[in-house]
Amino acid sequence: QVQLVESGGGLVQAGGSLRLSCAASGRTFSSYAMGWFRQAPGKEREFVAAISRIGSSTTYADSVKGRFTISRDNAENTLYLQMNSLKPEDTAVYYCAARSSLVVTTTLGQYDYWGQGTQVTVSS
């Protein structure tokens, strides 16, 4: 098992930046492909970005491509999401998730472990 704790959320103006972190504990962090998802009020949770176990492969939702960057530091057991050029529509609770697999996936149901989420609010 792995435990995940997100941090770094907050209130930012449109056009600003935030960096989210996800600290992992428990089983070896590098055993997991990782992802970021988000859920806005009244909407379903949606995929944002994912990264392979050693960080060699990444994938992004079209809505964040070119603005967000996912990365990981396996020595520090931490996943990151650098968010630039933020828009009001990026407002959501952001969750990190872990998958016991070599394969990177965008599918929410294929992730095994989830954090509690961190709120990101972008004002216009």
Side-chain angles (χ1 to χ4, degrees):
Q1 274 198 338
V2 64
Q3 292 77 44
L4 304 172
V5 179
E6 302 94 335
S7 62
L11 173 65
V12 63
Q13 288 190 330
S17 298
L18 281 175
R19 187 175 82 155
L20 305 183
S21 298
C22 172
S25 60
R27 192 179 160 193
T28 306
F29 180 59
S30 58
S31 299
Y32 298 92
M34 300 295 296
W36 286 100
F37 290 77
R38 66 187 181 185
Q39 188 166 17
K43 295 188 176 181
E44 293 187 350
R45 195 170 298 189
E46 65 176 7
F47 170 76
V48 175
I51 189 167
S52 61
R53 298 196 304 185
I54 61 171
S56 56
S57 176
T58 59
T59 188
Y60 297 90
D62 287 344
S63 59
V64 307
K65 204 171 292 184
R67 300 188 298 123
F68 290 11
T69 302
I70 188 171
S71 62
R72 66 190 296 163
D73 184 338
N74 286 346
E76 295 294 328
N77 295 336
T78 305
L79 175 73
Y80 300 101
L81 185 68
Q82 177 66 43
M83 306 186 295
N84 298 328
S85 302
L86 282 160
K87 304 175 181 180
E89 51 264 44
D90 294 317
T91 295
V93 177
Y94 282 72
Y95 299 89
C96 67
R99 180 172 191 240
S100 301
S101 174
L102 284 171
V103 179
V104 174
T105 181
T106 65
T107 305
L108 183 150
Q110 293 184 351
Y111 284 83
D112 304 303
Y113 304 100
W114 292 83
Q116 83 291 345
T118 186
Q119 176 71 47
V120 171
T121 303
V122 184
S123 63
S124 56

